[in-house]
């Protein structure tokens, strides 16, 4: 078996890094869309209770 050319190894590493960044970018975009959706009344109430409980602890 022939030795791998160092250029191919570097290209493969670059491709893996690029793919990882793409996956990170897509997942952050999807997370942002999930946070931007309207809340139901119960979810809104729970988020307010979390905020108020943090406020009470910080005093």
């Amino acid at each position: 078996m022939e030795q791998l050319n160092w250029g191919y190894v570097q290209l493969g590493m670059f491709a893996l890094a690029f793919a990882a960044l793409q996956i990170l970018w897509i997942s952050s975009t999807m997370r942002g869309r999930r946070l931007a959706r309207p809340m139901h009344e119960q979810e809104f109430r729970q988020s307010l209770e979390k905020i108020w409980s943090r406020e009470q602890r910080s005093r």
Side-chain angles (χ1 to χ4, degrees):
M1 209 170 155
E2 294 181 29
Q3 268 188 321
L4 281 177
N5 188 356
W6 182 243
Y8 288 128
V9 173
Q10 288 178 330
L11 182 63
M13 290 170 47
F14 179 77
L16 285 174
F18 183 75
L21 287 174
Q22 288 292 311
I23 291 170
L24 181 67
W25 176 66
I26 291 170
S27 65
S28 67
T29 302
M30 297 304 283
R31 189 178 319 121
R33 286 184 183 176
R34 189 172 55 239
L35 291 175
R37 69 172 173 72
M39 290 182 164
H40 295 289
E41 184 178 344
Q42 183 64 23
E43 292 173 321
F44 182 67
R45 186 173 290 147
Q46 287 174 349
S47 67
L48 284 179
E49 288 174 0
K50 284 181 187 177
I51 293 170
W52 291 334
S53 68
R54 275 188 250 146
E55 226 175 69
Q56 294 297 324
R57 279 186 266 154
S58 65
R59 288 184 185 180

